[in-house]
Amino acid sequence: MKVKLRRFTGREFVTTEYEVETGENPTVLEILTKIKEELDPSLSFRAMCRASVCGTCAVKVNGEHRLACNTRVNGEEVLIEPVDGYIPIKDLVVSHEEIYDGLRRARVWFVPREENLTITPQELNKTSRAWDCILCGICNNVCPPLLEKRDFGGPSLFTKIYRILEDPRDSLGEERLNGLTALNAQNCVHCSNCNLFCPKGCMPERWITVIEGKLTQKGYIQKKTEDFGFLGF
Ligand code: SF4
Ligand code: SF4
Ligand code: FES
C-alpha cells in the first residue's frame, strides 16, 4: 500500500511517501508502527492503548478525523495527516494542552457533598454515554465554531461537564452552572459533526443542548437565533 504522510517538521508541513507491506485491512496504527519500526524510525505519532481507550491517537485518514487504532483501511493508497484543530509539534503529534487547560479552567472535577448521597441506576444511565468520552479531541477538530473562534468551550469539554452537572452527589450545583456562562454554549450551531465523528458514540451535541437549555432557563445566556452560514462542514 502507498502511504502518504503529511508531517510537521517544526517549521512547515511536508508530505512523504512510503510503500508499506501490510496484511489485509490493517489499522492506521499498524501502518504507522510498521513505518516507524521498519522504514523510518524518525517518525513521531501518539498512541498507547491500541484499543480506543487512551484517546491519544487521533489523526486524519483520507481527510477524516479518526482514531488511528480503530480505523482500518484498504485500497492502494492512504493519506495520513495531523488533526486540524491543535498546534502541531512534530510529524503527526499535536499539543493536547488546550484540552487539559479547558478542563482546568472549567473545574471539571467532582466536588462531593458532605452528606453521603447515593445515585440511582436511572440517574447514572442519563450520563453513561458522556462517561465513555476518552478525550481524544476528535469532536473539537470537526466543530466549526470552535475552529473559527476559540471563545466556545467545545464539544469535549461540555461532554465532560455534563457528567458532573447531572450528578446529584456533586456539591457545586448552581455555582457550577453559573461558571459555565463564559464557555458560550449558545455558540454551538448544532451541526452534529461531533456526534457523527465521535469514535465512542458520546453524542456531545445532545449534552450541549441540555446545558444550553439549563443556562437559558436561568437567564445566564440567551439562545442564538441567527442563521449560520457554515453548516456544510
Ligand atoms: S453540534 Fe455544536 S459542538 Fe458539535 S460540532 Fe456542531 S457546533 Fe460543534
Ligand atoms: S466526545 Fe467523543 S470525540 Fe469528543 S473527545 Fe470525547 S470521545 Fe473524543
Ligand atoms: S491508541 Fe489509545 S485510543 Fe488509539
Side-chain angles (χ1 to χ4, degrees), residues 3 5 7 18 20 30-41 43 80:
V3 181
L5 288 185
R7 306 168 60 162
Y18 304 88
V20 186
E30 284 165 352
I31 292 173
L32 292 174
T33 307
K34 202 162 169 75
I35 293 174
K36 185 163 181 75
E37 288 180 351
E38 298 176 14
L39 302 171
D40 185 350
L43 175 63
I80 307 170

Side-chain angles (χ1 to χ4, degrees), residues 54-97:
C54 72
T56 59
C57 69
V59 288
K60 271 169 82 181
V61 182
N62 291 332
E64 287 193 352
H65 288 85
R66 303 276 177 200
L67 288 181
C69 67
N70 80 350
T71 302
R72 294 192 175 273
V73 287
N74 49 33
E76 292 178 358
E77 191 175 306
V78 63
L79 170 65
I80 307 170
E81 305 169 83
V83 296
D84 284 338
Y86 293 107
I87 297 167
I89 298 175
K90 180 176 183 290
D91 294 339
L92 299 171
V93 179
V94 298
S95 171
H96 288 168
E97 262 321 297

Side-chain angles (χ1 to χ4, degrees), residues 151-164:
D151 67 352
F152 172 48
S156 73
L157 189 52
F158 280 111
T159 301
K160 288 288 183 194
I161 289 167
Y162 174 74
R163 294 175 329 178
I164 303 174

Side-chain angles (χ1 to χ4, degrees), residues 37-53:
E37 288 180 351
E38 298 176 14
L39 302 171
D40 185 350
S42 77
L43 175 63
S44 295
F45 57 92
R46 271 214 186 91
M48 285 195 284
C49 68
R50 300 188 299 173
S52 315
V53 173

Side-chain angles (χ1 to χ4, degrees), residues 4-20:
K4 289 186 178 176
L5 288 185
R6 185 160 176 267
R7 306 168 60 162
F8 186 64
T9 65
R11 288 186 309 279
E12 59 184 345
F13 286 98
V14 295
T15 302
T16 47
E17 286 187 18
Y18 304 88
E19 211 42 67
V20 186

